[in-house]
Amino acid sequence: MAKFRKRPVVIEAEQFVVWDMKKIPPFITIQGVTFPVTKEATIMIPTLGGQHIASNLDWIIKGVNGELYPCKPDIFEKTYEKVD
């Protein structure tokens, strides 16, 4: 089996944060897109693979083709590092 390394690319990401669960906003804008927020503090992200749920503290990543997708905080931390 051949081995491959992921190409280093710089992505844009924003963390979905609901500070006060009792005051969940009806909508939130992430990466310039407005999403409705449910009473469970989740948002539905339309991805190339269908609808995905983003929960409080998940990261919303803008891919290389402008697509959005959610990423759990622990996976994000293992996969990405901040650039200046």
Side-chain angles (χ1 to χ4, degrees):
M1 181 179 300
K3 293 184 179 185
F4 295 87
R5 180 187 335 239
K6 196 174 197 178
R7 290 184 178 149
V9 297
V10 176
I11 53 100
E12 292 180 37
E14 206 171 313
Q15 196 167 30
F16 171 49
V17 178
V18 178
W19 292 108
D20 186 347
M21 297 297 279
K22 294 177 185 166
K23 297 179 183 176
I24 298 171
F27 295 92
I28 190 165
T29 300
I30 296 178
Q31 296 290 326
V33 180
T34 301
F35 300 98
V37 180
T38 70
K39 57 186 167 183
E40 293 83 23
T42 63
I43 56 177
M44 294 298 293
I45 305 291
T47 71
L48 298 175
Q51 297 282 333
H52 288 260
I53 295 173
S55 301
N56 191 33
L57 301 180
D58 284 355
W59 285 87
I60 311 303
I61 297 171
K62 183 185 279 186
V64 295
N65 292 319
E67 74 281 10
L68 299 177
Y69 56 95
C71 184
K72 293 295 179 195
D74 59 331
I75 302 298
F76 186 87
E77 194 173 304
K78 291 175 187 174
T79 308
Y80 298 97
E81 60 185 21
K82 191 170 185 177
V83 296
D84 296 322

